[in-house]
Amino acid sequence: MRFIPTFCLQKGMLLGKSIYNKNGELLFEKGLMVESQYIEKITQLGIKGVYIDDHISKDIEIESIIDDGLRIKAVQKIKDIFIDIENDCNNIQENIGKMNIFVEDIVDELMSNKDVIVNMTDIKL
């Protein structure tokens, strides 16, 4: 598997990792063969690049720095917290406490992978 910029994505390539939208909803599943309309959608969404499986990167596995489940859960919960703050400014401290829990989970996950070189695009939420 290797990371390629979106502008290099071509019809017929196989996705090496699933692609999610900003709300954590699955858009394209790992193993999907890329079609022209998928490239257009990925480009419209502003996704800078994707992981693909091909003969060049055969047998290379890229370890996720942050588990996709944790990433999706954290993004959704943080959005929920900001909505709560908008609706009720009195619970700001409580909501900051909730946010700290997710930040700690992400930091713990990063710290548990000490042998992994972190690519900044891998930890972007």
Side-chain angles (χ1 to χ4, degrees):
M1 171 176 13
R2 66 188 172 111
F3 184 83
I4 64 164
T6 301
F7 65 84
C8 293
L9 195 56
Q10 297 177 2
K11 183 179 173 185
M13 290 180 165
L14 292 177
L15 289 181
K17 277 185 148 182
S18 296
I19 300 174
Y20 298 88
N21 68 13
K22 292 181 180 184
N23 295 322
E25 298 163 334
L26 180 65
L27 296 175
F28 304 105
E29 194 164 6
K30 174 183 176 175
L32 180 74
M33 186 174 290
V34 175
E35 299 286 337
S36 300
Q37 65 267 29
Y38 304 158
I39 297 170
E40 290 175 26
K41 183 68 173 175
I42 290 167
T43 303
Q44 287 173 356
L45 292 169
I47 296 170
K48 303 294 182 207
V50 299
Y51 286 94
I52 61 160
D53 280 327
D54 62 6
H55 68 282
I56 294 171
S57 59
K58 187 174 89 172
D59 300 326
I60 297 175
E61 273 303 313
I62 298 181
E63 187 177 335
S64 292
I65 302 302
I66 299 174
D67 177 69
D68 286 337
L70 174 59
R71 180 191 319 257
I72 292 166
K73 185 177 175 184
V75 168
Q76 190 56 53
K77 288 296 181 183
I78 290 171
K79 285 180 180 181
D80 292 346
I81 288 167
F82 277 105
I83 290 170
D84 286 349
I85 291 171
E86 269 186 12
N87 295 332
D88 184 6
C89 292
N90 296 326
N91 291 330
I92 291 177
Q93 288 301 324
E94 180 183 333
N95 285 312
I96 288 173
K98 290 177 186 176
M99 236 185 289
N100 283 338
I101 293 169
F102 292 106
V103 171
E104 288 173 9
D105 288 345
I106 291 170
V107 170
D108 288 345
E109 183 121 357
L110 290 172
M111 296 305 290
S112 70
N113 289 320
K114 290 183 181 181
D115 296 331
V116 178
I117 297 173
V118 176
N119 180 342
M120 294 306 284
T121 60
D122 288 341
I123 62 173
K124 181 182 173 218
L125 290 178

